[in-house]
Amino acid sequence: MDEGLGARFWFKLIGIVILGGIAAILLLLLVTSAWYRWGAIGAIIFFSLLALLWGWIYDKRHQKEYERLQGEA
């Protein structure tokens, strides 16, 4: 007897969709406020700096894995 996906799955899916919507609204507010305050070039520079910061943090967290893979090669 197949009971389907169940209520727990659907509640999780609804929660993820709501959180995704909230994240999208926050991102839109961030983009529009940066554009309004600094213009197009300022907003591009701001988001480029955010992307560089995110990449630097990601690399620092995965540095040991990179070193391990280099040792195996």
Side-chain angles (χ1 to χ4, degrees):
M1 179 163 60
D2 185 22
E3 296 182 16
L5 297 174
R8 188 174 187 189
F9 168 78
W10 292 110
F11 287 137
K12 285 182 182 180
L13 183 65
I14 290 169
I16 290 170
V17 168
I18 290 172
L19 287 176
I22 292 170
I25 290 171
L26 290 175
L27 181 64
L28 180 64
L29 288 174
L30 183 65
V31 168
T32 55
S33 65
W35 188 289
Y36 177 73
R37 289 186 178 118
W38 301 313
I41 300 297
I44 291 171
I45 292 170
F46 175 70
F47 289 109
S48 297
L49 290 174
L50 281 180
L52 286 171
L53 178 65
W54 185 356
W56 181 75
I57 291 171
Y58 182 86
D59 281 346
K60 285 295 181 185
R61 287 186 176 182
H62 293 86
Q63 191 171 9
K64 290 180 183 177
E65 183 179 344
Y66 294 151
E67 291 172 355
R68 182 183 59 84
L69 291 174
Q70 288 296 325
E72 291 177 0

